[in-house]
Amino acid sequence: MEISGCNNLLRHNENHRLEIIGRHISNGVEIPCADAIIIDDKCSIGKGTVIYPGTIIRGNVTIGRNCIIGPDAYIIDSTIGDNVIFNSSHIRNSQIDDNADIGPFVNIRPDSVIG
């Protein structure tokens, strides 16, 4: 019975993850492959933004329009402007202004502002 309960919880979590992704797709976000993408409920993502696999978006996050996020991006409690490329990098509690090109392999530390 424990395995059955665990499977139900995993199925519920996966359905919720796909529901969030579907909501963003309906709002004009492009997600060509939903594999390994995790987006929290609170996140706001602008129309025309592309999210690639391996991306994790947690907490209070705002991503602007026409961005390219990922693959393999980690974004937590941060704001990303419009037309930003954020490739294979990490950001926590920080801000990226419009038109920035970040990555790959960048770690943006808390309380940073990237222009």
Side-chain angles (χ1 to χ4, degrees):
M1 289 213 175
E2 282 184 60
I3 292 174
S4 176
C6 183
N7 286 339
N8 288 338
L9 180 59
L10 290 172
R11 195 170 309 116
H12 170 76
N13 288 342
E14 180 66 3
N15 289 340
H16 185 65
R17 182 183 77 85
L18 292 174
E19 184 180 302
I20 292 168
I21 288 171
R23 199 165 51 234
H24 286 290
I25 290 170
S26 294
N27 291 330
V29 176
E30 184 180 337
I31 299 177
C33 178
D35 292 349
I37 293 176
I38 298 170
I39 303 172
D40 275 0
D41 249 344
K42 307 179 246 186
C43 299
S44 170
I45 304 172
K47 187 175 183 176
T49 290
V50 180
I51 308 290
Y52 285 110
T55 295
I56 299 172
I57 304 171
R58 291 277 191 207
N60 196 12
V61 172
T62 300
I63 298 173
R65 295 174 163 264
N66 302 313
C67 296
I68 299 172
I69 307 296
D72 303 319
Y74 181 76
I75 303 167
I76 185 167
D77 294 323
S78 296
T79 300
I80 296 177
D82 295 334
N83 305 304
V84 170
I85 298 172
F86 191 75
N87 175 19
S88 300
S89 296
H90 292 191
I91 182 172
R92 291 173 317 218
N93 305 85
S94 292
Q95 175 181 325
I96 299 174
D97 291 338
D98 295 350
N99 304 308
D101 188 346
I102 307 293
F105 316 122
V106 174
N107 181 29
I108 299 173
R109 297 192 191 314
D111 302 317
S112 296
V113 177
I114 307 297

